[in-house]
Each structure stands twice: as structure tokens, then as C-alpha cells.
Amino acid sequence: MSGGLQHYLDVAQRFQAEQAASAPLWLRTLREQGLAQLSRQGFPTARNEDWKYTDVAPIVSRPFALVGEGPKVELRARVEQLALPGPRLVFVDGRLSSELSSLEGLFAGVTVKPLRQALREDAEVLEPVLGRRARADVHPFVALNLALLEEGAFVQIRPGAVAPSPVQLVFLSSGASTAPVLSSPRVVVVAGANSEASLVEVYAGAEGGTSFTNAVTEVVLGENARLHHYKLQAEPDAAFHVASLHAEQARDSRLASHAFSLGGALARNEVSSVFAGEGGECVLNGLYVGRGTQHLDNRTDLDHAVPRCTSRELYKGVLDGRSRGTFHGRVLVRQDAQRTDASQTNRNLLLSEEALVDTRPQLEILADDVKCAHGAAVGRLDEQSLFYLRARGIPKAEAERLLTYAFASEVVGAVTLEPLRARVEQLLSARLPGGAWREVVA
């Protein structure tokens, strides 16, 4: 069996045929729309401006396929290593693992369900939301996700609820299958007016086997709602990862997104938000750390469609070996979006002669009463700082590790969940050249 567009169309058609008898009409229609859009668009090539620097041929050419329940693999230790205390849903190779999941301690004002269950029980909430911002007609991987819509999670925060602990969604590849495994999770978050919650998405797995995660997250924030979204992508070196978060923000709402891209052979992370009401605020922080031949692609898109909204972006990249990083950030300020306040910054640190980064921050301003700024920088470790540390008896390799971690720590330090911040620090230190930074400063 070979890969290619036809392979994925066949996978989706078989899936839809198997699910047709049990799916309501509205759900069957959505899946069929996803299949039709994938067939129409095909997968992107370098001729597509949005994918100019990212070649998806390594994904398209492989025969990734959905798996059934599969063999039992003990992953509890891996879950405990990555997850935080509190309620969580865990998925293995794209399937819910009841044994590893626990919703004990879930706040009364928050509902968390496997998406498969919610599609049956919460159609009145899901039907108006699914695909509203994550548009299958403009994104082929979103179309593929929609065509395979079944697994994932539904998170609903009741109006006025303030959840004291985060909800966690853990997506693991088991490494047990000899065939390339495709998982296609969809996460839907609906936050009512005046609510506040934190959501943590973790993508990881065991070494061995090849996997492709094609994830879509949709977020709808009501008036004055607050959502802190954290994403930690630390998948094995043989993994491929394409994911997008699509948000819609009502009046005075606030979205804070913190994305960490540390693993995978090829990983693309997209974040987009539309301000649908005045007074909204969006904060996007991201860190991508590449080594070997990794390719890490990051894209942000903020649509200031209404007046008096604020956005802040800070993305940083650390590239070593022959890795390649890409950042493309777009801020659109529409004609009626007066009093917009937006800033966008991308900074990159290259640790080797062969590492490469492409950066393109972009402002499209159609209004005249705005305060907007953007900037990008690519450089190497500061020689004066290295000299300062070495003059105080710190060996060169350790000084380089200290300065590299200091560069990345601005993004890591913005994580307010202390247990999650500690896990990110551990994973980051393991990926930096020469070992753990904690050993350096001890």
C-alpha cells in the first residue's frame, strides 16, 4: 500500500462507511464535507504560500492509517511523568484509554467528555460550533480531521464558573504498532460568560513506530470569559505532528496560549483567533526547540475585526544541528477596528552553522487609529556574555547552556501552572546541548 492523497481519501471513506449507521444526519454531513474538501484541495505543496517552507511529502507519502484497540501497552509511567495532578482524559494511538483517564476532582462547573460521547449527547452545543472557525474549505489537514471526526474531547465551562484546577488532555503514541499510525483528535472548548479555566494539551509517546497526529482545537469564549491554554508537544523523533487551534472571542474575553514544540521529525503548530467583540485580549507565547534534522513550523493569525482589542505575541526558537524552524505571524487589523493595540515578536537563536530559520512577522493594517508593532531577530550566542561567564571560571560548554536556557526561559517563565512549568523545564533541559541546565547551576 502506498501513501498519497488517494490513500487518505480511502481511509476516510472506509471510516465514514463504518460509522454511517450510528451517526446522525448532521454529523454524517460534516464528515462528508470534510472528505469533499480534502478531495478538492489535495495536500499542500511548496507552491502554496502558507506551506512554502514546510514540505509535507514525508507525511503524504506514508500510508498512515487508523488503528483499532490494538495491543495493551503499559504507558502509566509515561502519563504520570507528563500529566499534572487533577482530572484528565488520556488517548493512546487516537483512542480513549479509560484505564489511564480519570475525571476525579473535576470542578462542578466544568463538563469534560470524550468527543465520541458528546457527539451523541450534546449535539445542540456542538453542531453550531464544529467547523465554524476551523474551516475545512481552506485547510486540507482540517478537512482530513473533519472527515475522520470521532475521537477527542468536549470541554464546557458553565457561565460564571471559575475552575481551580486545569483540565488535561493527554495524547500518546504507544509505539506498539508496526504500521504507521494516524490519530485525528478534535478538541472543542465552549466557555460561558464570566467563566475562567485552564486547559493543558500534551502530545507525547513511546519511542518506536511512526505516528502522525493531525489535531484540531476549537475554542469559543463568551463575554468576559478567560481561558489559559497550554500545549506541550514532546513526541518521539519518528513522529509527525500537524495541529491548529482556532478561537473566537466575544466582548472582553481573554485567551492566553502557551505552545511548546519540542519533539517530532516534522511538527507544525498553528494558532488563530478572531475578535468578535470589543475589549478582547489575546496573548500568544511559543517556544520551539529543534535538533538533528527536525523541522518545526509555527504560524499565528490574529484577526482584529472589531475596535479596542489587544494582542501580544512572543515566539522564540532555538535551533541546533541541521534543524529548521519557521515562524509566520499575521496580524490583520480591519478597517473598523480602531484603537487596536497589537505587538508581535519572533526571536531565534542558532546554535550551529547548519541550523536554519525562516521568519516572517506580518501586519496588515486597514485602520488608522492603532498602535501596532512587530519585529524579528535571528542570531547566535552573545560573545561578550560568553566571555563574562568564562572569565568567572565557567567552562565554555556550560556557559553556552546557561545562555541558551536564559534565552528560552522568558517563554517558560510565563507558564503560571508551576507543575507544568517544572515539566517543561525538564524536557527543555534534556534537549539543550550538553545535558541538564540544573546540573550546570548546581
Side-chain angles (χ1 to χ4, degrees):
M1 180 189 298
S2 63
L5 175 62
Q6 189 58 52
H7 165 74
Y8 288 93
L9 294 175
D10 291 343
V11 169
Q13 287 171 342
R14 287 195 299 270
F15 166 79
Q16 292 184 13
E18 293 168 358
Q19 300 294 322
S22 59
L25 177 60
W26 70 271
L27 181 55
R28 293 201 305 271
T29 301
L30 273 180
R31 289 170 174 165
E32 290 167 0
Q33 289 173 353
L35 181 62
Q37 291 297 339
L38 177 61
S39 178
R40 180 185 66 81
Q41 298 173 72
F43 287 111
T45 68
R47 289 173 295 185
N48 184 312
E49 186 65 24
D50 290 343
W51 298 83
K52 181 177 180 180
Y53 300 108
T54 299
D55 181 8
V56 299
I59 296 174
V60 177
S61 63
R62 284 177 168 85
F64 290 101
L66 302 172
V67 298
E69 295 301 322
K72 294 291 183 180
V73 178
E74 183 50 56
L75 292 172
R76 188 170 300 277
R78 184 64 169 150
V79 172
E80 297 301 333
Q81 179 187 25
L82 291 168
L84 312 180
R88 67 192 182 212
L89 291 180
V90 179
F91 300 81
V92 177
D93 293 335
R95 301 290 182 180
L96 177 70
S97 172
S98 301
E99 296 85 354
L100 298 177
S101 301
S102 172
L103 295 180
E104 183 178 353
L106 186 66
F107 183 64
V110 179
T111 298
V112 179
K113 293 181 180 180
L115 185 62
R116 185 189 298 188
Q117 176 184 348
L119 289 170
R120 298 193 307 267
E121 300 176 352
D122 302 278
E124 72 285 352
V125 178
L126 287 172
E127 188 174 357
V129 173
L130 281 166
R132 189 163 80 194
R133 291 299 176 191
R135 293 178 53 189
D137 60 329
V138 296
H139 198 308
F141 286 97
V142 171
L144 176 61
N145 181 282
L146 187 63
L148 299 172
L149 184 63
E150 179 187 29
E151 289 285 15
F154 172 53
V155 180
Q156 185 173 25
I157 304 103
R158 299 285 188 264
V162 179
S165 59
V167 172
Q168 302 165 82
L169 306 174
V170 182
F171 301 92
L172 299 175
S173 58
S174 69
S177 176
T178 57
V181 175
L182 165 64
S183 58
S184 193
R186 173 79 63 129
V187 177
V188 181
V189 183
V190 178
N194 304 305
S195 65
E196 182 171 358
S198 296
L199 176 66
V200 179
E201 293 185 39
V202 177
Y203 297 84
E207 294 292 342
T210 304
S211 63
F212 169 36
T213 300
N214 181 38
V216 174
T217 299
E218 294 184 275
V219 175
V220 178
L221 299 182
E223 291 192 3
N224 199 40
R226 303 285 190 268
L227 179 68
H228 308 272
H229 181 268
Y230 302 91
K231 178 185 174 184
L232 174 57
Q233 190 277 112
E235 291 173 300
D237 291 342
F240 296 86
H241 184 97
V242 176
S244 56
L245 182 152
H246 310 261
E248 179 182 297
Q249 299 185 233
R251 177 185 293 270
D252 297 324
S253 64
R254 185 180 191 274
L255 171 66
S257 165
H258 306 264
F260 298 92
S261 187
L262 307 179
L266 185 157
R268 178 174 169 116
N269 187 63
E270 302 182 27
V271 181
S272 64
S273 188
V274 176
F275 291 104
E278 296 184 20
E281 181 179 350
C282 184
V283 176
L284 304 183
N285 291 320
L287 176 66
Y288 44 102
V289 180
R291 62 184 183 183
T293 58
Q294 281 184 281
H295 184 106
L296 304 176
D297 186 353
N298 296 269
R299 182 180 178 89
T300 65
D301 196 321
L302 292 176
D303 187 347
H304 286 262
V306 295
R308 288 182 289 276
C309 292
T310 302
S311 64
R312 296 287 183 267
E313 290 186 62
L314 174 61
Y315 268 68
K316 286 190 170 186
V318 178
L319 289 310
D320 198 8
R322 292 186 292 121
S323 63
R324 181 169 185 172
T326 297
F327 174 82
H328 181 187
R330 174 177 176 262
V331 176
L332 171 62
V333 182
R334 297 187 184 271
Q335 185 173 1
D336 295 330
Q338 305 295 343
R339 308 294 295 274
T340 288
D341 184 353
S343 69
Q344 179 188 83
T345 303
N346 175 231
R347 297 176 185 149
N348 298 276
L349 180 62
L350 302 183
L351 300 180
S352 75
E353 294 294 333
E354 295 181 287
L356 181 66
V357 67
D358 299 287
T359 177
R360 189 171 62 171
Q362 179 180 355
L363 296 177
E364 296 183 23
I365 302 174
L366 305 179
D368 51 20
D369 183 10
V370 302
K371 183 169 68 173
C372 297
H374 71 297
V378 180
R380 302 190 183 277
L381 291 173
D382 182 68
E383 292 295 334
Q384 289 187 342
S385 298
L386 275 174
F387 177 80
Y388 177 87
L389 292 175
R390 295 192 68 189
R392 279 146 184 81
I394 299 177
K396 181 181 178 181
E398 296 179 359
E400 290 174 345
R401 289 198 297 272
L402 280 171
L403 291 176
T404 302
Y405 185 83
F407 174 83
S409 63
E410 183 179 5
V411 180
V412 179
V415 176
T416 57
L417 296 175
E418 194 282 328
L420 178 62
R421 186 169 66 249
R423 283 159 175 75
V424 173
E425 288 175 345
Q426 292 168 0
L427 290 168
L428 174 60
S429 66
R431 299 194 71 80
L432 295 182
W437 73 276
R438 291 187 184 278
E439 295 175 357
V440 176
V441 300

